[in-house]
Amino acid sequence: MTTPILQYYDSFDEWARLETPAGIVELDRTLRIIDRSVPAACDMLDLGGGPGRYTLAMAERGHRCQLVDLSPRLVEEANARIAASPHASTTPRAVAGDATDLSAFADATFDCVLALGPFYHLTRSEDRKEAARECFRVLRPGGVILAAFIPRLSGVGDLIDRAARSPEQVNVSAFTDAATDGIFENPSAEGFQSGCYMTPLEAGDLFRASGFQVDKTISVRSILYGRERAYLEVAHNDPDLAKVMQKQADKLSLNEAVVATCGHALVVASKPDP
């Protein structure tokens, strides 16, 4: 069955998204966070990994990364990119799958789960809980999850811009529901469809309820959010100043206000040893 989310990703170039100024900064900073959070040579699950950008980046770092995505089209693209890469022999073929059902994998299979997309698409509370439980199950004790979410204040703020740009996608009901409950339902067939905007507290509680120990909640782009093009221009013109900006972005990425308002954030959590 074709769902709105599959229809969206069938027409959206997810690989190219990370080649825009915002995407370049997001990719670079996400990789920095991953590198600081996981040990060398992990068995990784790239859950909702799309066309394989992070899977290939992890393979370059010596990790063995299994990609799972809901979209058959993106799985096909990922497999083509994996096959053409220098890491084809050490990277498993990507497979289609649902974050709420990882029964294809045994308990304690992975050292790390990257869930950089699924949780802000799961609008049903039970689906989010089931996905978190499944991630916990397939992780080995001591394993780490990095799970992306869109904080409510940031998501609702972005809807204001979206309403001006594409008014058919944001009506009174959709905006009110997103602001009140964190659940956005696009009334049109165009653009990003259903979205879940959790508060940072809700995101942490989701994983704690599944048995995880939440280590931190961190803003991905931090104070560079919305200023990516300017930052990249500074990096080109004055690399030393850009390094200072990057350090400040790192320092402020744990600030509660920054986490709440600066785009995508990550819950970094671990599965306790028995």
Side-chain angles (χ1 to χ4, degrees):
M1 180 177 67
T2 301
T3 63
I5 189 63
L6 286 178
Q7 290 175 331
Y8 173 70
Y9 280 108
D10 280 346
S11 61
F12 182 73
D13 190 346
E14 177 64 14
W15 185 272
R17 181 182 74 83
L18 293 176
E19 294 178 341
T20 64
I24 290 168
V25 173
E26 177 182 320
L27 176 63
D28 176 69
R29 290 189 55 77
T30 301
L31 291 175
R32 288 169 180 264
I33 296 167
I34 295 170
D35 289 343
R36 293 196 299 263
S37 302
V38 303
C42 283
D43 289 322
M44 295 181 124
L45 175 62
D46 187 2
L47 184 58
R53 178 80 73 163
Y54 285 98
T55 288
L56 292 174
M58 293 302 101
E60 290 173 359
R61 287 158 166 75
H63 303 299
R64 184 178 182 276
C65 197
Q66 171 68 68
L67 187 151
V68 174
D69 196 90
L70 188 65
S71 166
R73 185 191 74 77
L74 291 179
V75 167
E76 182 179 359
E77 180 181 347
N79 278 323
R81 293 185 182 277
I82 290 168
S85 79
H87 309 287
S89 64
T90 57
T91 302
R93 282 184 56 81
V95 296
D98 190 318
T100 64
D101 180 8
L102 300 177
S103 55
F105 305 105
D107 296 358
T109 297
F110 300 103
D111 302 303
C112 176
V113 173
L114 302 179
L116 301 180
F119 285 96
Y120 54 76
H121 286 304
L122 297 173
T123 56
R124 295 180 64 248
S125 174
E126 187 50 46
D127 287 340
R128 294 192 296 278
K129 291 176 183 177
E130 187 60 32
R133 288 192 292 263
E134 281 288 82
C135 289
F136 186 87
R137 181 184 65 78
V138 300
L139 269 177
R140 293 171 181 145
V144 176
I145 185 171
L146 293 94
F149 69 102
I150 300 176
R152 186 168 305 166
L153 289 178
S154 191
V156 172
D158 285 347
L159 287 180
I160 297 172
D161 293 330
R162 188 170 173 181
R165 183 177 65 249
S166 303
E168 74 283 358
Q169 296 181 24
V170 184
N171 59 21
V172 170
S173 176
F175 185 83
T176 301
D177 289 346
T180 303
D181 301 318
I183 302 302
F184 171 71
E185 297 288 353
N186 186 339
S188 81
E190 301 299 321
F192 185 91
Q193 295 295 304
S194 301
C196 172
Y197 306 144
M198 291 184 282
T199 67
L201 178 60
E202 289 170 343
D205 284 348
L206 171 66
F207 291 95
R208 277 186 283 266
S210 298
F212 284 100
Q213 175 181 311
V214 175
D215 301 315
K216 59 187 172 183
T217 303
I218 185 168
S219 176
V220 174
R221 284 179 268 173
S222 185
I223 57 170
L224 305 181
Y225 177 66
R227 305 171 180 88
E228 296 87 357
R229 189 180 299 277
Y231 166 72
L232 292 174
E233 289 180 8
V234 172
H236 177 74
N237 296 324
D238 190 342
D240 289 339
L241 177 57
K243 289 179 182 177
V244 173
M245 291 177 177
Q246 182 72 260
K247 287 182 180 178
Q248 286 300 310
D250 287 346
K251 181 178 179 180
L252 291 169
S253 62
L254 298 174
N255 180 283
E256 291 182 1
V258 173
V259 171
T261 58
C262 291
H264 288 64
L266 292 173
V267 170
V268 181
S270 56
K271 180 174 181 175
D273 289 317

